[in-house]
Amino acid sequence: MTYEEMQAKLKSRLKPGRYVHSLGVAETAVFLAERFQADVEKARIAGLLHDCARQYPNEQLIAEAVRRGIRIGQVERAMPLLLHAYIGA
């Protein structure tokens, strides 16, 4: 999948404000990668997709994690929002 295809898919799934946030994180990731001689393209993709699972409401995150076989600890049960990182990965 190209970066542009990832952008389009993400835009269709996230609220507009969250999508704009993800674009900004992608730009910041590129800046940091250039500064610290890291892989710019990997950083750009990671920045863009870091919130790709934020479209799930909090009450649905536990069920989605179970469906995907993701381990859920006490902290995640108390604060399901944290599961978006694991589900997104």
Side-chain angles (χ1 to χ4, degrees):
M1 183 179 288
T2 68
Y3 186 80
E4 290 73 23
E5 290 168 332
M6 289 179 218
Q7 275 185 303
K9 192 167 190 174
L10 191 66
K11 186 175 185 177
S12 73
R13 291 181 171 203
L14 297 180
K15 293 179 181 177
R18 177 76 56 196
Y19 175 69
V20 170
H21 162 74
S22 294
L23 294 177
V25 173
E27 288 178 24
T28 301
V30 166
F31 171 80
L32 291 171
E34 289 171 344
R35 180 168 182 185
F36 295 104
Q37 294 84 45
D39 187 311
V40 172
E41 192 57 24
K42 285 183 181 179
R44 182 176 174 220
I45 291 168
L48 179 69
L49 299 180
H50 82 283
D51 267 350
C52 67
R54 286 289 280 137
Q55 83 269 16
Y56 294 103
N58 282 339
E59 58 275 2
Q60 192 180 359
L61 285 167
I62 290 179
E64 189 61 28
V66 168
R67 187 180 78 76
R68 294 172 185 241
I70 296 169
R71 184 183 158 296
I72 303 169
Q74 290 178 348
V75 173
E76 290 85 5
R77 284 205 188 278
M79 192 168 197
L81 176 63
L82 297 173
L83 290 168
H84 87 277
Y86 301 107
I87 292 168

